[in-house]
Amino acid sequence: MLRIWEAARSEWHYPPLPRPVISSGGSGVFPFDNYRISVREEDLSDQLYLESLFEHLILHYIFCPRSLEVAGELVLSAMKGIKRNDTIFARAIVNIFSDIVIDSFRLERSEHDEQKVIHLWRRTAESAESDLDMAVLSFLERYWSAEICGAVERAETRLLLQIFAPGVRDRSLWKRQCQQMAMVLSTLTPGSLGRDEIRTLEILRGNARSAPLSGLASELEPEEYLRCLEVLGVRGDLKRWYRDQGYRIEIAASRSGRRDTYPTGTLRWRFDDPPDEMDVNYSLSMSPRLVPGVTTYKRDHESCGMSPGRSDVPDLLVVLDSSRSMDGHRRGSRTFYATLAAFKAAQFAYEQGAELAAINFSEGFLVQPWCRDLDAVEDVLVEYLCGRTNIPGSRILELVKERRGCLILCITDTGIQNLYTQWEYLRKAASLGSFVLFCIDEKGKDRYVLEALGSLGRVYYINTPEDIISLVVETAEDAYGNA
């Protein structure tokens, strides 16, 4: 079986896939669990079936869906098509769609590939057990003009033929085709087809947790995003939702390179050259008489670029308002833009070598002391306390005293109800660090409060919440990009 596996890899130019663990005793219906292929005892002697099964599995990792990002887009399309919260059915639709795509692609390669594909689906048809299975098999018989199981043509067959009429090679059509297929099959009961996990390279290699899904996260609310991850078989949380969207935000590290000079060979020193450039010792070693332009020499120099040196970077304290007026974790809210900006600033400062601390405040507050643990800082930033706006000035001052000269990013809607009781703490903190305040929604706010806050340091007054992200990016670039 391993020999057949290596032969299957050679058919597709040796993709870098690990050798699978072979075991017998499985159901034989596209079984693939943690790269362990299970086949039935009676299939061990069917070499054509094994060749086709192995190539089918390989094509999932190199063609469709291949990456977690593409799989996520197909999941989103499937969920739009079925219009209900059914993660199991959505997974089945994505798997069936990718099965159709890769085997239609294989079928076009050669007559031998066509034989292998048809043989695989004939063996698969033996386990068909639902209306959805029969609808798909009926469609494939018509689409490939092949005898698979003699399924009766159904109403869904004609609709699927229209959906796949343009073929499967155009990747730009995949999302629309998957959504339309989901709509056609949404009333049918799932069976044996498509019930396995979605196969992508990131899941196979164990790094699905860290793989970014920025396109998927930017289109969905947190609850919808987590459902999509569930379909993919990936664990996710609110932190991942913010992290994935942050990948599309760029902060430039614009450190200027240094240049240095070094001596190389010698040149003749002439009358029009500066006197201090003449190398007297070297010239006398060559001749006892100094004749300008004949026995006088100077050192030639060349210059070269050097990588920027590592300089000290300020540590970062993020102070984030999560009061009721910030509207909570949903796309477009003040909390959304403020948290996304705070995440990106913390990630960038962390990458530059800074230590981090965070305070999330409302009526109460959460604190993460100075550390190099980005996860712990994000755990604090992502909380939504949903109370009144009471800033913990004394706790801010304690943290700033531990890291004098730190950068303090404070994001709030400025409806601070205890400002005057905390004012002295904030003033002292601002004098010990670099205080930058982002005031959301200045209209209708207390002008005296805004003027008082403006005396603490740099202040941005923001009426459009999405502007927070660009302003925080600029601040991080100023503080760390040229450090």
Side-chain angles (χ1 to χ4, degrees):
M1 291 179 68
L2 293 178
R3 177 183 56 80
I4 296 173
W5 171 262
E6 292 303 327
R9 286 182 64 240
S10 69
E11 287 289 322
W12 298 96
H13 309 290
Y14 296 98
L17 299 176
R19 175 176 287 186
V21 178
I22 307 297
S23 66
S24 59
S27 63
V29 183
F30 291 161
F32 207 66
D33 179 24
N34 195 22
Y35 223 61
R36 181 185 298 274
I37 300 176
S38 300
V39 295
R40 296 170 298 192
E41 291 289 344
E42 58 266 29
D43 294 330
L44 296 176
S45 59
D46 191 342
Q47 180 168 336
L48 187 63
Y49 169 77
L50 293 178
E51 289 178 5
S52 187
L53 175 62
F54 291 168
E55 289 188 35
H56 175 94
L57 297 173
I58 287 172
L59 261 289
H60 275 301
Y61 294 105
I62 67 174
F63 186 54
C64 181
R66 189 174 187 269
S67 70
L68 199 64
E69 184 76 30
V70 174
E73 293 173 351
L74 295 178
V75 167
L76 180 58
S77 298
M79 294 184 71
K80 289 178 180 177
I82 61 179
K83 297 180 180 178
R84 66 176 186 270
N85 182 22
D86 189 340
T87 55
I88 295 177
F89 190 80
R91 181 185 298 131
I93 290 295
V94 172
N95 280 329
I96 292 172
F97 176 80
S98 58
D99 287 342
I100 293 172
V101 168
I102 62 175
D103 282 337
S104 296
F105 178 72
R106 291 172 60 205
L107 191 111
E108 297 174 359
R109 283 218 312 172
S110 67
E111 290 186 5
H112 183 57
D113 284 286
E114 181 178 351
Q115 293 175 2
K116 289 189 287 187
V117 170
I118 300 304
H119 184 65
L120 174 65
W121 280 91
R122 284 174 178 166
R123 296 297 301 270
T124 302
E126 297 173 4
S127 303
E129 58 186 33
S130 70
D131 290 340
L132 187 144
D133 293 347
M134 299 310 298
V136 173
L137 293 171
S138 171
F139 156 69
L140 291 178
E141 285 190 328
R142 287 285 308 278
Y143 190 55
W144 293 340
S145 301
E147 180 66 32
I148 295 177
C149 66
V152 178
E153 185 173 324
R154 304 167 57 97
E156 294 84 3
T157 302
R158 294 185 292 273
L159 295 174
L160 291 175
L161 287 170
Q162 294 176 14
I163 293 170
F164 285 91
V168 298
R169 289 180 177 270
D170 189 348
R171 294 172 184 263
S172 65
L173 299 178
W174 283 0
K175 291 191 290 184
R176 188 181 71 185
Q177 288 175 322
C178 185
Q179 181 176 347
Q180 292 174 336
M181 190 183 82
M183 293 174 64
V184 170
L185 301 177
S186 60
T187 60
L188 304 180
T189 304
S192 61
L193 295 182
R195 65 185 180 188
D196 303 303
E197 296 296 322
I198 296 175
R199 306 179 185 101
T200 68
L201 283 173
E202 292 88 348
I203 293 175
L204 172 64
R205 291 169 178 164
N207 61 353
R209 174 67 179 168
S210 58
L213 290 168
S214 55
L216 193 65
S218 62
E219 294 185 27
L220 302 176
E221 295 292 341
E223 298 79 8
E224 298 171 316
Y225 174 73
L226 296 180
R227 283 201 297 271
C228 281
L229 290 185
E230 184 181 349
V231 175
L232 292 170
V234 179
R235 186 169 60 88
D237 51 23
L238 194 57
K239 284 199 305 182
R240 176 164 183 154
W241 185 62
Y242 279 111
R243 278 182 173 178
D244 285 354
Q245 293 176 89
Y247 280 101
R248 292 190 170 185
I249 303 171
E250 294 185 4
I251 301 180
S254 54
R255 294 180 182 174
S256 58
R258 298 175 295 162
R259 298 193 69 80
D260 198 6
T261 59
Y262 56 92
T264 53
T266 58
L267 295 174
R268 301 285 185 182
W269 181 89
R270 303 182 185 279
F271 269 123
D272 55 350
D273 292 328
D276 59 345
E277 287 187 0
M278 185 171 66
D279 190 336
V280 177
N281 292 332
Y282 181 79
S283 299
L284 290 174
S285 70
M286 301 299 293
S287 172
R289 297 178 177 84
L290 298 179
V291 181
V294 179
T295 63
T296 53
Y297 295 89
K298 65 178 180 179
R299 292 288 181 180
D300 189 20
H301 289 79
E302 291 184 0
S303 62
C304 66
M306 302 178 65
S307 61
R310 185 69 180 178
S311 56
D312 292 335
V313 295
D315 295 322
L316 175 65
L317 169 60
V318 181
V319 183
L320 184 62
D321 182 356
S322 66
S323 60
R324 187 179 298 109
S325 56
M326 294 288 284
D327 298 336
H329 294 293
R330 57 179 178 79
R331 290 194 56 78
S333 69
R334 296 173 186 173
T335 296
F336 168 74
Y337 289 114
T339 307
L340 182 56
F343 263 55
K344 195 62 184 180
Q347 290 164 5
F348 186 68
Y350 176 82
E351 291 168 359
Q352 304 309 306
E355 286 200 357
L356 308 174
I359 294 179
N360 186 326
F361 71 92
S362 179
E363 284 183 277
F365 60 90
L366 301 174
V367 178
Q368 173 56 50
W370 294 105
C371 66
R372 281 283 296 163
D373 188 346
L374 183 60
D375 275 331
V377 171
E378 291 176 339
D379 285 337
V380 169
L381 295 176
V382 82
E383 290 292 333
Y384 179 55
L385 302 179
C386 190
R388 293 181 298 178
T389 311
N390 294 329
I391 191 167
S394 59
R395 194 66 182 95
I396 293 173
L397 178 59
E398 290 176 14
L399 291 173
V400 174
K401 283 182 176 179
E402 296 175 14
R403 297 291 189 277
R404 293 173 183 264
C406 68
L407 174 64
I408 309 165
L409 296 184
C410 182
I411 307 176
T412 175
D413 64 359
T414 65
I416 302 174
Q417 299 176 14
N418 66 336
L419 179 63
Y420 294 107
T421 62
Q422 300 295 306
W423 174 254
E424 193 61 27
Y425 299 116
L426 294 175
R427 187 189 63 79
K428 290 180 180 179
S431 67
L432 297 175
S434 177
F435 190 85
V436 184
L437 180 67
F438 301 89
C439 300
I440 306 172
D441 191 15
E442 59 164 318
K443 290 183 178 179
K445 297 295 182 182
D446 189 334
R447 299 301 303 175
Y448 295 104
V449 172
L450 294 178
E451 290 174 4
L453 292 172
S455 66
L456 296 177
R458 197 187 332 168
V459 180
Y460 295 99
Y461 301 115
I462 302 166
N463 284 323
T464 306
E466 53 264 35
D467 291 342
I468 299 173
I469 296 176
S470 60
L471 291 172
V472 169
V473 166
E474 290 177 10
T475 303
E477 287 176 344
D478 291 342
Y480 297 101
N482 298 308

